Amino acid sequence: QVQLVESGGGLVQAGGSLRLSCAASGRTFSAYAMGWFRQAPGKEREFVAAVAWSGGSPWYADFVKGRFTLSREKAKNMVYLQMNSLKPEDTAVYYCAAVIPDLGATPTRPYQYRYWGQGTRVTVSS
C-alpha cells in the first residue's frame, strides 16, 4: 500500500512563499504520476500540478501563472510544491496524490488518483 504524508503548510501573508513536501513510501514510484491538489471550504477539489515520476516536465493548472513549482527528489521519495507570490485565494487544504496512469497521460482529475495523503492546510492572509 502506498502511503503519502504532506507537510509544510501553515499561515503566510499575501505575497509570501511556502514549500510543501510529500513523503511517499511503500514501493518504487517509477511508473507513477504524482499530483498536487487543493480544496477550499465549499469548493471542489482542484488540480494544481502533476508530473510523471520517471521524468518529463510538470503540468500546471492555469491559475498557478508561474508562481508554483513542482519538483521531485527521487532518492528520498519526496515531491515538493514551491509556492511563491501567494494570494488569499490560494487558501486551501493541499493534498498530494499518486497513481499508475495510462501510458502517455498525466492525470489532472482527482478521481484519476488512487492514493492520497491527509492534506496540509495553507492559509494566506491579506
Side-chain angles (χ1 to χ4, degrees):
Q1 182 76 10
V2 171
Q3 294 181 339
L4 305 171
V5 180
E6 304 96 334
S7 62
L11 176 64
V12 64
Q13 292 184 338
S17 297
L18 211 57
R19 190 194 195 197
L20 306 183
S21 299
C22 176
S25 63
R27 62 195 69 196
T28 180
F29 291 88
S30 60
Y32 280 77
M34 307 294 295
W36 283 98
F37 294 81
R38 69 186 188 184
Q39 188 168 22
K43 297 182 65 177
E44 298 292 325
R45 190 168 299 186
E46 65 179 345
F47 170 75
V48 176
V51 72
W53 186 261
S54 60
S57 299
W59 175 257
Y60 298 100
D62 288 342
F63 64 77
V64 170
K65 294 180 172 63
R67 299 181 297 126
F68 294 1
T69 303
L70 187 157
S71 62
R72 300 157 295 173
E73 193 169 4
K74 293 182 178 180
K76 296 182 179 180
N77 282 355
M78 297 290 293
V79 182
Y80 306 99
L81 185 68
Q82 178 67 46
M83 305 187 295
N84 300 323
S85 302
L86 284 163
K87 306 174 182 179
E89 54 262 43
D90 295 319
T91 296
V93 176
Y94 284 71
Y95 301 89
C96 64
V99 70
I100 299 178
D102 294 337
L103 294 177
T106 301
T108 60
R109 299 289 188 177
Y111 73 84
Q112 296 178 288
Y113 284 81
R114 177 174 181 178
Y115 304 103
W116 293 86
Q118 296 299 307
T120 185
R121 184 159 50 199
V122 172
T123 303
V124 184
S125 64
S126 60

